[in-house]
Amino acid sequence: MRVLLTGGAGFIGSHIALLLLQKGYDVVILDSFVNSSSKVTKAISNYLLTKSFNFNLNTITGDIRDKNLLEKIFNDSIIDNKPIQTVIHLAGLKSVSESLTNPLHYWDVNVCGAKNLIATMNEYKCYSIVFSSSATIYGLTDSVPIDENHQLSPINPYGRTKVAIENMFCDLYKSNMNSWKICSLRYFNPVGAHPSGMIGEDPIGIPSNLFPYISQVAVGRRDSLKVFGDDWDTDDGSGVRDYIHIMDLSEGHIKAIDFLNSKESCFEFINLGSGNGYSVFQIINQFELSTGMKIPFSIQKRRDGDVAKCFADIKKAKKLLGWVPKRSLEQICNDSWNWQRRNPHGYK
Ligand code: NAD
Ligand code: UD1
């Protein structure tokens, strides 16, 4: 079965690509490489070659807003006699701060890009899509755990583009309820790396998220971690989040494809998180255990747009997808560190 993986060279996409290939899927990655390295697909191939795996990976450099290119990809797949049966749509921009300074660009890439993609799918009668949504759409709430019925109130343009795409899916589904199979996965905090240490997270520039930042402190690329507030209403005063191992998240996508394949039609939105909340200080402690090093940090004022606690209710994922996250915080930190220490400068 052929899967089109948009954004497949990114942090999340690269791990999903590897898993899909290991499961025997034929994978076409479409990525513009605006936020990823061209070395990613080589790293995926190298890993599979070391395991003597036969695999079918085709990487296309291009933009999801390029309709002609999308049509060519679907058309070529038909000519190959391997029509694209499912799309996993991850391509998009994800920086909260950048979305505040350049909102139209976010609407263009995320929303117009998604519209272009689903319009092309419609033309080629490919009706099955898994979409990467985000817990950011729940907005500023401390009412945890958060389930899928929680009110949506995103507080930044990035989050609003995710809601707009979910709404677009909803309208599309209602217009043709016999055909479309849509699963919008709302990720909490995907972190960690493939246990081989051959692929992992490699943000461009200064990381804004906790895990890549703390990893770069541990490897000596940054002096010290800034802890954004120790006066939150949490047990130790630092912010609590739901960190989910990237391999658990990737497995959730395989389960989502299985789920869609078992349906005539459907539209579901499903949280993917660990279901547990860990504080920044707990992460620092575990990182120190995993690295055997002291992590220098300083307490700073709270970051705008942060909440005290955010973690998922994952009952729906368990029930509908039969998916349960298996990896511990220890494994997350061990794998993050394994990747960072083997690749101090990422893919460079
Ligand atoms: P990433 O930036 O590493 O990956 C996104 C990929 O999309 C990159 O390789 C980038 O080059 C590509 N891309 C961007 N614009 C494109 C375009 N116009 N055409 C083609 N390719 C394009 O990000 P990620 O962390 O892997 O996130 C993947 C998806 O998951 C994103 O949609 C993001 O919003 C969503 N998400 C991520 C997180 C997270 O914490 N990482 C949380 C929730 C949701
Ligand atoms: C952030 C984004 C969110 C996005 C998510 C995944 C903001 C306000 N929120 O969420 O929209 O969906 O990333 O990409 O940007 N922390 C530090 N020091 C750091 C970095 C983070 O103390 O250098 C703290 C934060 O205050 C928070 C926790 O670590 O308590 C996790 O932060 P982060 O990794 O940025 O994730 P989110 O805040 O969940």
Side-chain angles (χ1 to χ4, degrees):
M1 175 171 160
R2 182 168 281 187
V3 174
L4 172 62
L5 188 59
T6 72
F11 168 47
I12 297 171
S14 53
H15 291 82
I16 296 175
L18 184 52
L19 207 54
L20 285 169
L21 292 165
Q22 283 181 304
K23 299 266 176 200
Y25 288 92
D26 183 312
V27 177
V28 177
I29 288 180
L30 170 63
D31 203 300
S32 63
F33 294 94
V34 284
N35 201 37
S36 48
S37 163
S38 57
K39 296 191 177 140
V40 172
T41 49
K42 197 164 268 174
I44 295 170
S45 301
N46 284 345
Y47 174 78
L48 292 168
L49 290 171
T50 61
K51 300 281 168 200
S52 307
F53 234 90
N54 281 325
F55 59 95
N56 223 327
L57 172 63
N58 186 4
T59 305
I60 296 164
T61 304
D63 198 297
I64 48 166
R65 291 167 296 171
D66 181 347
K67 186 88 170 38
N68 290 336
L69 175 62
L70 286 175
E71 285 172 5
K72 183 172 174 358
I73 292 170
F74 278 87
N75 216 10
D76 286 353
S77 291
I78 291 169
I79 292 167
D80 274 4
N81 218 7
K82 286 182 180 169
I84 292 164
Q85 283 169 334
T86 296
V87 175
I88 301 182
H89 178 40
L90 302 115
L93 302 175
K94 62 165 186 177
S95 158
V96 171
S97 56
E98 195 184 40
S99 80
L100 286 162
T101 52
N102 203 351
L104 291 184
H105 188 45
Y106 269 66
W107 280 85
D108 187 35
V109 172
N110 291 359
V111 180
C112 298
K115 189 225 123 202
N116 224 10
L117 175 66
I118 54 180
T120 312
M121 291 176 67
N122 213 11
E123 281 161 32
Y124 285 85
K125 298 189 168 31
C126 170
Y127 294 122
S128 172
I129 185 164
V130 178
F131 171 62
S132 43
S133 188
S134 168
T136 197
I137 65 177
Y138 296 119
L140 292 180
T141 177
D142 274 341
S143 145
V144 286
I146 301 174
D147 72 19
E148 291 82 354
N149 296 320
H150 193 286
Q151 185 194 347
L152 304 185
S153 47
I155 60 158
N156 52 60
Y158 165 62
R160 282 189 278 276
T161 64
K162 292 289 183 192
V163 174
I165 297 166
E166 286 200 354
N167 287 337
M168 185 158 60
F169 283 136
C170 181
D171 290 344
L172 182 71
Y173 176 68
K174 284 181 186 159
S175 74
N176 184 355
M177 299 222 296
N178 296 326
S179 304
W180 279 98
K181 302 194 258 188
I182 302 168
C183 189
S184 184
L185 299 176
R186 296 173 176 170
Y187 312 154
F188 279 65
N189 295 62
V191 290
H194 190 269
S196 65
M198 290 173 79
I199 58 171
E201 186 168 15
D202 181 20
I204 293 170
I206 301 172
S208 50
N209 297 118
L210 179 63
F211 262 79
Y213 203 103
I214 201 170
S215 304
Q216 292 190 8
V217 171
V219 85
R221 282 175 63 184
R222 319 244 160 236
D223 293 338
S224 156
L225 175 72
K226 298 180 185 73
V227 175
F228 297 138
D230 65 350
D231 54 354
W232 294 99
D233 181 17
T234 59
D235 287 348
D236 64 19
S238 64
V240 167
R241 295 291 183 278
D242 183 330
Y243 300 98
I244 173 168
H245 196 296
I246 185 70
M247 297 313 298
D248 280 328
L249 187 93
S250 300
E251 286 167 8
H253 289 71
I254 306 289
K255 294 278 190 185
I257 293 181
D258 292 344
F259 173 73
L260 294 183
N261 286 341
S262 74
K263 297 279 170 191
E264 288 298 315
S265 72
C266 63
F267 172 46
E268 295 289 350
F269 25 84
I270 303 176
N271 286 342
L272 286 188
S274 69
N276 299 309
Y278 289 102
S279 73
V280 177
F281 290 132
Q282 284 177 299
I283 303 301
I284 294 174
N285 277 343
Q286 182 53 56
F287 230 83
E288 291 188 338
L289 290 171
S290 295
T291 58
M293 288 177 214
K294 216 61 208 144
I295 303 288
F297 67 86
S298 63
I299 307 295
Q300 308 281 324
K301 67 177 177 51
R302 294 177 178 191
R303 179 174 66 176
D304 282 349
D306 266 354
V307 289
K309 296 178 205 160
C310 176
F311 55 91
D313 179 322
I314 55 171
K315 285 196 218 58
K316 188 169 179 185
K318 288 180 182 167
K319 188 171 166 209
L320 288 193
L321 307 182
W323 168 86
V324 272
K326 300 182 209 123
R327 293 154 181 95
S328 63
L329 182 65
E330 181 183 4
Q331 206 161 348
I332 287 176
C333 294
N334 288 349
D335 289 340
S336 291
W337 177 232
N338 185 38
W339 153 254
Q340 195 70 75
R341 108 188 131 77
R342 283 166 175 256
N343 309 274
H345 292 278
Y347 290 105
K348 281 181 250 0

